[in-house]
Amino acid sequence: MLNVLSREEAVSLIKEKTADIVPATEKVNISDTLGRMPAQDIVAAENIPAFDRTTVDGYAVIAADTFGSGASMPAQLDIIGEIPMGESADFTLKSGQCAKISTGGMLPKGADAAVMVEHTDNADGLCLIYKSVAPYENVTKKGDDIALGETALKKGSKITSAEIGVLAALGIYEIPVYKKPVLAIISTGDEIVKGNIKQGQIRDVNTFLLSAAAKEYGCEVYEYGAVKDDRNEIETALKNCINQADAVLISGGSSAGTRDMTVEIIDSLGKAYFHGIAMKPGKPTIFGIVENKPVFGLPGHPLAAYFVFRLIVSEYLNNIMNMPADKPKKSGVLAVNIPSNHGREEFLCVKYDENNEVVPVHTKSGIVSVLSESEGFIRIERNAEGMFKGTTVEIYEL
Ligand code: AMP
Ligand code: MG
């Protein structure tokens, strides 16, 4: 079955085969939406602010009344009242008049600017203004923050504290979000154990690493744990996970070795669509569908499993929840030449050196600590013969 696809081909095949999978939605209180994905655009049904507001403590004025005023020639305006916070003024300002106002207060009718108290003097009911203001100076106009009809929250943009603030301003306290997809995680390998290990055994890393990565992508996780390289055990695990989850990740047992039966099991319970992607790490990646649920076979090597999650599984998650593909957020200049001519798209963990230039973090096979030492990873194109020192590279965050 090892017909190797490019990453783009793999991603688009997954997209095509999972096109009819739509996550359910649920209404959630905004206080519980941090990190969730909105299931629809949220449009502002009102203006924020709902009225013209001052941004300073001082006097609401008609800007034209202050024109030409300066330190030696202050404008003189009658103070006709004070606007209490949280209330609207019950008067209209006419030329020659002003009213006391505090930051955030509502401008009275007729006023179109505010003068900072620092630029005024108050003498016998008269306000002396030492600095002219332009129309709407020191004012946030109605709808300046969020205008009626504006999209306040876009479908597919992960909700952060900033968006929750916007929703609160609009008085929207409950919104529809996608239900968290449940990802089941199975680790395979006769040598894989949790807890105490004997000579020759190694601890299960993938269950925990992939579970955390899945949670970072807004998933819930069903950790099945580690199973032996045994057809019945793997089959039982996969059937159980298909019942419990929306998608399944099986790590290990995905290379073309004699004991590697993951692809056969997926194909016997459903259909395996590919086995092999021209990427490094991550070549022995499997994708199939069992009972209309995607099943991803990941390499056993924890670093490779992580990359396949970040570059393949994440695309599937982004896709069903309408999220844009991950983009590199940092960049830097390579401090060294990086050779590569594998005919595979390559991903390399990197960090900044003492000169703030980018260097690879060397990956000895089987070592997982490389992830925690890295700043992120770079991408080397499939047909590039490496990259030269001095090249600016984009860095994907881990
Ligand atoms: P495999 O894909 O099964 O051939 O595994 C490749 C390498 O990754 C082997 O050295 C395994 O021991 C190791 N490996 C597989 N699964 C895990 C796991 N869950 N945690 C840590 N290492 C693993
Ligand atoms: Mg194995």
Side-chain angles (χ1 to χ4, degrees):
M1 215 207 186
L2 267 168
N3 57 332
V4 171
L5 303 181
S6 71
R7 187 168 59 100
E8 290 72 34
E9 288 167 336
V11 167
S12 70
L13 184 63
I14 294 168
K15 190 171 177 177
E16 181 196 319
K17 298 296 174 196
T18 58
D20 59 337
I21 297 178
V22 182
T25 63
E26 59 185 342
K27 281 206 158 183
V28 171
N29 190 292
I30 57 167
S31 301
D32 300 319
T33 57
L34 197 62
R36 302 292 297 269
M37 317 299 170
Q40 65 180 56
D41 288 351
I42 305 284
V43 174
E46 52 188 84
N47 284 301
I48 305 295
F51 48 88
D52 295 345
R53 287 177 101 192
T54 60
T55 58
V56 295
D57 287 329
Y59 292 89
V61 298
I62 298 164
D65 284 348
T66 70
F67 293 170
S69 57
S72 55
M73 260 237 301
Q76 296 189 14
L77 302 177
D78 290 327
I79 304 172
I80 62 161
E82 176 166 0
I83 298 124
M85 288 302 282
E87 291 180 30
S88 57
D90 53 6
F91 49 81
T92 301
L93 223 58
K94 297 195 191 68
S95 180
Q97 298 180 330
C98 69
K100 266 196 103 190
I101 197 163
S102 309
T103 303
M106 177 175 173
L107 278 196
K109 277 203 201 96
D112 66 358
V115 180
M116 282 173 85
V117 70
E118 290 85 337
H119 300 143
T120 66
D121 249 335
N122 182 335
D124 303 328
L126 273 187
C127 175
L128 305 181
I129 296 189
Y130 296 106
K131 194 165 180 277
S132 69
V133 285
Y136 294 102
E137 193 165 332
N138 300 324
V139 170
T140 307
K141 283 169 91 171
K142 176 175 167 175
D144 258 0
D145 198 353
I146 309 164
L148 173 80
E150 204 177 292
T151 304
L153 185 61
K154 272 210 152 41
K155 183 173 171 176
S157 56
K158 201 181 223 173
I159 299 170
T160 67
S161 49
E163 277 90 38
I164 293 175
V166 167
L167 294 170
L170 287 166
I172 299 170
Y173 297 111
E174 218 186 40
I175 58 161
V177 295
Y178 288 119
K179 276 199 167 156
K180 294 184 175 190
V182 181
L183 283 197
I185 300 177
I186 307 167
S187 291
T188 68
D190 289 337
E191 75 285 23
I192 309 298
V193 273
K194 179 180 169 187
N196 295 330
I197 46 176
K198 293 186 295 195
Q199 281 292 350
Q201 296 183 321
I202 60 163
R203 282 202 190 87
D204 180 8
V205 171
N206 295 347
T207 297
F208 302 91
L209 180 63
L210 295 171
S211 169
K215 286 174 190 159
E216 279 174 349
Y217 273 82
C219 298
E220 249 166 47
V221 174
Y222 173 66
E223 290 177 8
Y224 189 87
V227 298
K228 299 268 179 260
D229 288 309
D230 172 88
R231 177 176 276 274
N232 285 334
E233 270 199 45
I234 299 175
E235 210 174 290
T236 305
L238 184 53
K239 283 180 180 162
N240 175 291
C241 288
I242 289 289
N243 278 330
Q244 301 288 332
D246 300 312
V248 185
L249 312 184
I250 310 181
S251 72
S254 67
S255 37
T258 42
R259 308 220 53 174
D260 298 320
M261 54 206 111
T262 309
V263 71
E264 287 167 34
I265 295 170
I266 294 173
D267 213 34
S268 69
L269 298 180
K271 180 156 177 55
Y273 287 101
F274 65 76
H275 183 191
I277 302 181
M279 61 187 268
K280 183 188 177 211
K283 186 169 180 230
T285 295
I286 302 165
F287 170 72
I289 295 198
V290 176
E291 291 176 26
N292 205 31
K293 294 184 176 170
V295 180
F296 297 87
L298 276 50
H301 189 297
L303 187 65
Y306 177 81
F307 272 103
V308 172
F309 183 91
R310 280 295 306 271
L311 296 157
I312 305 294
V313 181
S314 71
E315 293 265 10
Y316 161 72
L317 295 171
N318 288 340
N319 198 19
I320 59 168
M321 292 189 278
N322 294 291
M323 303 258 294
D326 296 351
K327 286 201 180 68
K329 296 207 179 82
K330 300 179 202 163
S331 65
V333 171
L334 284 180
V336 291
N337 291 328
I338 297 181
S340 143
N341 52 4
H342 305 274
R344 287 198 267 161
E345 188 182 17
E346 191 170 339
F347 298 90
L348 197 64
C349 284
V350 295
K351 63 179 178 187
Y352 293 109
D353 67 7
E354 59 286 359
N355 303 317
N356 216 20
E357 289 186 332
V358 177
V359 287
V361 177
H362 284 289
T363 53
K364 276 188 223 132
S365 179
I367 289 185
V368 67
S369 62
V370 60
L371 279 176
S372 63
E373 285 166 29
S374 300
E375 191 75 37
F377 61 89
I378 61 169
R379 173 179 168 270
I380 305 170
E381 275 186 43
R382 190 171 176 181
N383 296 316
E385 299 211 350
M387 291 175 103
F388 287 110
K389 177 181 164 150
T391 309
T392 299
V393 288
E394 296 190 307
I395 301 175
Y396 294 79
E397 284 178 339
L398 287 170

